[in-house]
Amino acid sequence: MAARAALALAAWLTCLAPASAVLRTSTGNGVQVLTGDTFEAATNDGFWLAEFYAPWCGHCKKLNPILDEIAPEMLANHNMHIGKVDATVHKTLSNDMGVKGFPTLKFRLSGEEEWKTYDGGRKAKDLIGFAERMSNKPVAEIKTDADFDAFIERTYNGAEVGFMLGGSASSDLPAPLVSWWTEMATANQASAYFSMTDRASKLKLPENLPKHLSSYRAGAFIAVVEGGEAPRYFNGIDTAEWLVEGEVNDLLTESVKTWLKESNAPIFSELGSHNFRQLGRMGKLLVIGIVDPEAPGSEDYKWGLKAVAQAVSQGEEFVPRGGAAKAKVAEPVEGGEGEDGVEPYQTDPFEEPLEEMYVYGHLDGIKWKDFIHQFNVYGDLPRLVVLDMPGEKFWEDPTVDEADEIDTFLRDVHGGRVKAQKEGIQGTWNRLVKKVKSMGPMSGLLVVPVILLLMAFFMSPADEDDEYEPPPATEFKKDN
């Protein structure tokens, strides 16, 4: 009798428990398993990050252990709950949330807000940085060198850069500009770090910088700041035009929105599946230095590419070590064909300023040896590739391997003096046609079945996420 009474009491107490406590099912490590029936009530309060996954998805299999690992810390330190939904089972919920690929991460700070898509990195440090940003003020105030160092330290859990609205006196930053910057920071808090200072003239920059880059600009400025690097300034609109009759110019808002997206990356990154697509979709051309990390000279090559990136991004002429003269600018290419039979085609000069056109990185050409074949990279490394990911074209030249040659090549691409190449369907088709021609008139009969097979293959639907993106190393090895 006593046992029955105890069971009845337990059932009654369960009915009195908060709905969210009943609806959330923990995996035992802080990640809540959510369903179409429990999702709304379970996530109605607090800061939530929700993963929509598919059990067969390789990227999901890589992400899930990371979420399991960081969930307790995120809840304890930043009050961020993490949940996950099997999108292949709870399809109605997934469709309502706008899930189109796996994994998809959604977040909101409270039940009153709309769900937003998290587009940042999926490494533990990226997710920790996201939680840290969202649980702090959107703008960090910089008053001292210690404040600045702490701000830079925070950025290492994210894009490794931050944005600064600066001046050397309070009069440089009028109230409308300060309010506007806070609004910009709040709108972009999920993806970037923001700071503000009215004491820029008192802040120290890295001692290794050239004298003309060793202090901040006078007056108001907006800049990308990165540990060990010179600030990279927003130059889209003259500062005299930032305010119109005491209000922030709408043109400034639109221009800075684009600039923030295109500038939220280090001057030089190590490329891989964690950031390749993100950097390739920033709105700039991606300069890829492909190296063999174990080969002699690879570190010198990376140093040279980074030095070019530093010079070009500051709008300066690159000067090699020893002050050697720059290579000759290439003449426009006429006719001919690219390596491996890819048909090059002429591109017009780019309108963007050279210093705002590129984002730079290096890629392990041994780890991604099959992936880089789509860029005609075979055999000896290092190699340089300039990729226009949205435009599905690239530029490469196997003879470019010195820093001064890289500098010249990038300027030639910018000036339309180097022909672009097309990969994917068009590039494969061009190679096949040229191969058939080289085999003679009767050889076409032998390759007709192959052509039909290739056409059927390439005309079938493709996964856009796989285009130009290295897979995680574990999947890459499994598939090959």
Side-chain angles (χ1 to χ4, degrees):
M1 190 71 177
R4 289 182 184 176
L7 288 172
L9 178 61
W12 180 70
L13 290 174
T14 299
C15 292
L16 294 180
S20 59
V22 177
L23 295 171
R24 297 174 190 164
T25 303
S26 174
T27 60
N29 48 32
V31 176
Q32 307 296 327
V33 178
L34 305 173
T35 70
D37 294 329
T38 66
F39 185 84
E40 183 175 354
T43 63
N44 195 43
D45 296 319
F47 176 20
W48 276 87
L49 178 72
E51 178 204 16
F52 291 80
Y53 72 95
W56 44 260
C57 164
H59 292 293
C60 303
K61 292 176 183 177
K62 186 176 181 180
L63 175 61
N64 285 337
I66 294 174
L67 296 179
D68 291 341
E69 178 185 352
I70 68 172
E73 177 187 347
M74 294 301 92
L75 188 58
N77 296 341
H78 305 295
N79 202 28
M80 184 179 83
H81 304 271
I82 299 179
K84 63 180 181 180
V85 178
D86 184 342
T88 65
V89 174
H90 307 288
K91 296 180 180 179
T92 300
L93 172 62
S94 300
N95 290 334
D96 291 345
M97 293 290 286
V99 175
K100 297 180 180 179
F102 307 113
T104 292
L105 293 172
K106 298 281 186 174
F107 74 92
R108 68 178 179 184
L109 296 180
S110 70
E112 289 74 39
E113 292 190 3
E114 296 292 326
W115 287 93
K116 299 176 182 177
T117 301
Y118 171 79
D119 290 323
R122 296 171 186 164
K123 287 186 173 181
K125 79 174 188 69
D126 300 316
L127 294 163
I128 292 170
F130 164 73
E132 186 266 340
R133 284 194 303 276
M134 301 306 292
S135 59
N136 278 284
K137 293 180 179 180
V139 179
E141 272 197 72
I142 307 296
K143 297 293 185 183
T144 65
D145 288 330
D147 292 340
F148 180 78
D149 291 342
F151 176 69
I152 292 298
E153 185 70 25
R154 287 177 59 201
T155 69
Y156 294 146
N157 275 333
E160 301 181 13
V161 299
F163 296 102
M164 176 185 283
L165 172 65
S168 295
S170 57
S171 58
D172 291 333
L173 305 179
L177 195 62
V178 171
S179 298
W180 168 82
W181 186 245
T182 302
E183 292 174 3
M184 294 293 288
T186 302
N188 294 277
Q189 191 174 5
S191 58
Y193 291 89
F194 291 82
S195 66
M196 182 167 56
T197 184
D198 59 6
R199 303 186 183 184
S201 62
K202 296 181 173 62
L203 298 178
K204 295 179 181 178
L205 284 169
E207 296 180 357
N208 63 322
L209 296 178
K211 185 175 181 180
H212 67 286
L213 297 176
S214 61
S215 60
Y216 288 99
R217 281 182 180 175
F221 63 82
I222 301 171
V224 186
V225 291
E226 177 183 353
E229 299 292 340
R232 306 194 299 277
Y233 294 98
F234 167 74
N235 295 311
I237 296 179
D238 189 271
T239 53
E241 301 176 8
W242 286 9
L243 297 180
V244 178
E245 297 181 354
E247 300 293 332
V248 173
N249 190 337
D250 289 342
L251 293 176
L252 176 66
T253 299
E254 294 306 312
S255 184
V256 168
K257 281 182 180 178
T258 301
W259 180 80
L260 292 174
K261 176 185 176 183
E262 295 178 350
S263 305
N264 194 23
I267 192 74
F268 192 58
S269 303
E270 180 179 0
L271 301 174
S273 58
H274 64 288
N275 64 356
F276 194 92
R277 182 176 177 80
Q278 178 186 356
L279 294 178
R281 298 279 179 179
M282 284 180 62
K284 298 185 177 184
L285 301 184
L286 178 57
V287 179
I288 311 167
I290 304 173
V291 299
D292 175 354
E294 303 300 323
S298 63
E299 289 303 316
D300 286 341
Y301 179 84
K302 288 192 291 186
W303 178 92
L305 179 53
K306 182 176 181 179
V308 171
Q310 290 168 325
V312 172
S313 65
Q314 292 292 342
E316 300 184 345
E317 293 288 326
F318 169 71
V319 179
R321 281 188 281 199
K326 287 180 55 179
K328 182 182 177 182
V329 174
E331 298 296 330
V333 180
E334 300 293 341
E337 65 181 48
E339 185 177 320
D340 201 26
V342 178
E343 183 71 39
Y345 60 96
Q346 190 61 45
T347 54
D348 295 327
F350 288 85
E351 296 181 358
E352 295 89 344
L354 180 66
E355 59 269 25
E356 298 177 7
M357 184 171 162
Y358 297 113
V359 60
Y360 304 80
H362 62 94
L363 182 71
D364 185 335
I366 303 303
K367 183 177 181 180
W368 307 115
K369 59 184 177 64
D370 289 339
F371 168 75
I372 61 179
H373 290 169
Q374 65 184 307
F375 306 125
N376 297 335
V377 176
Y378 300 87
D380 294 339
L381 299 175
R383 289 282 292 275
L384 185 77
V385 171
V386 177
L387 174 62
D388 177 357
M389 186 181 289
E392 299 182 357
K393 57 180 178 284
F394 66 94
W395 296 259
E396 59 86 27
D397 184 338
T399 67
V400 174
D401 58 7
E402 298 290 340
D404 58 336
E405 296 170 345
I406 294 172
D407 179 70
T408 299
F409 185 75
L410 297 182
R411 295 174 189 275
D412 288 342
V413 170
H414 177 260
R417 294 183 290 270
V418 181
K419 287 193 173 185
Q421 300 183 42
K422 194 82 171 179
E423 250 303 351
I425 297 173
Q426 180 175 330
T428 303
W429 180 260
N430 286 337
R431 288 195 298 271
L432 182 60
V433 169
K434 292 177 184 295
K435 185 68 174 176
V436 171
K437 287 181 179 178
S438 67
M439 294 169 63
M442 297 301 295
S443 60
L445 297 175
L446 302 177
V447 296
V448 167
V450 178
I451 294 175
L452 293 175
L453 181 62
L454 285 172
M455 289 177 65
F457 174 79
F458 283 118
M459 292 176 70
S460 63
D463 183 356
E464 183 182 354
D465 285 350
D466 291 338
E467 181 184 351
Y468 287 142
E469 182 178 12
T474 53
E475 293 183 15
F476 187 89
K477 293 175 182 177
K478 180 178 71 176
D479 293 341
N480 291 274

